[in-house]
Amino acid sequence: MNLKIFKTTCKSTEKIFVIILSISLFLLLFSTIFTTTPIPVTIVTYTILVFTLYLLFYIAYIDFKTMEIDNWVSLSLLLFLLAINLLLHFFLAPEVGLVVSEKFSYIPYHNFYTALVLGLPFFLTVLISKEKALGSGDIRIALISGFLIGSNNIRTWLYITVFCALTYGLILGYKKKKFKGLKIPFAPFMILGTVVSLLMDIYF
């Protein structure tokens, strides 16, 4: 992990993401009040969620700063989520999964499906464009998003990701006075879509 990069000046967009992280963590911890899941399971579940969110926001911050996705962190997180889903699949009912709260269940069956649905288009885009449109790191983030949000949130994730990335691109292009050849980091907006989708699932 490149921790030295946190010593650099934090721009307004990055500050917004830090605020979103703080709000997200608070909302996650606040939601434990309403859970009916046994306390030990709740503690483990929310610890994993907080740990995952920290890593995702680290990846987003690095992408903002360098236009690159940390290979080791993103790959480690992908394998970690894959392992969790496999364990839940074999030790719990695959179509029931882990009950996180009264409104949200983490279902491996749905997660595997969503990871494939999100990951395949990104893989094809990278393959066809030869990494000029998207990078291989974006495939990993799409798979990670799929393992986290489940099939019910695909549309929400797409709306948030595309709308926020487009808005950011328009603002950046306006500031730089050019749109042709403009490059923007895409991982932060996929991660934002993931976080918002998770919070909407837990609360709504």
Side-chain angles (χ1 to χ4, degrees):
M1 295 180 72
N2 183 11
L3 299 179
K4 291 182 180 179
I5 205 162
F6 288 98
K7 295 180 180 180
T8 58
T9 305
C10 191
K11 297 179 181 178
S12 56
T13 310
E14 294 148 12
K15 287 178 181 177
I16 291 172
F17 261 79
V18 171
I19 292 170
I20 291 173
L21 171 62
S22 303
I23 294 172
S24 301
L25 293 177
F26 170 77
L27 290 173
L28 276 173
L29 293 174
F30 182 73
S31 67
T32 59
I33 297 172
F34 307 104
T35 184
T36 56
T37 310
I39 293 177
V41 176
T42 300
I43 291 172
V44 172
T45 302
Y46 281 86
T47 299
I48 291 173
L49 273 175
V50 169
F51 169 75
T52 301
L53 273 183
Y54 266 115
L55 290 184
L56 285 175
F57 275 87
Y58 166 79
I59 291 169
Y61 191 83
I62 294 296
D63 199 23
F64 267 127
K65 288 289 189 181
T66 66
M67 291 292 292
E68 293 181 358
I69 294 173
D70 190 303
N71 290 328
W72 287 107
V73 174
S74 59
L75 181 59
S76 299
L77 184 55
L78 176 59
L79 294 174
F80 175 68
L81 292 173
L82 175 62
I84 287 178
N85 278 276
L86 286 172
L87 286 172
L88 292 176
H89 177 81
F90 288 112
F91 289 99
L92 296 176
E95 297 181 1
V96 176
L98 178 66
V99 178
V100 178
S101 68
E102 290 183 1
K103 299 177 181 179
F104 175 54
S105 294
Y106 191 68
I107 305 173
Y109 179 79
H110 291 176
N111 299 338
F112 283 117
Y113 167 77
T114 310
L116 287 174
V117 169
L118 297 185
L120 187 57
F122 278 80
F123 173 75
L124 292 175
T125 303
V126 170
L127 192 65
I128 294 168
S129 69
K130 297 181 180 178
E131 296 199 49
K132 291 181 180 178
L134 295 169
S136 57
D138 293 309
I139 302 173
R140 291 193 293 274
I141 302 303
L143 290 169
I144 288 169
S145 298
F147 278 126
L148 284 170
I149 66 173
S151 58
N152 293 333
N153 292 311
I154 293 177
R155 186 177 297 179
T156 303
W157 183 88
L158 281 173
Y159 285 154
I160 294 169
T161 300
V162 174
F163 175 77
C164 291
L166 181 61
T167 303
Y168 177 76
L170 290 173
I171 294 171
L172 189 62
Y174 177 77
K175 286 182 177 180
K176 292 188 174 183
K177 307 296 181 184
K178 70 168 188 176
F179 290 94
K180 188 177 181 179
L182 182 69
K183 292 183 177 180
I184 65 168
F186 198 59
F189 304 105
M190 289 194 282
I191 290 167
L192 177 62
T194 301
V195 172
V196 173
S197 296
L198 277 173
L199 290 175
M200 287 181 67
D201 237 353
I202 291 173
Y203 280 96
F204 303 104

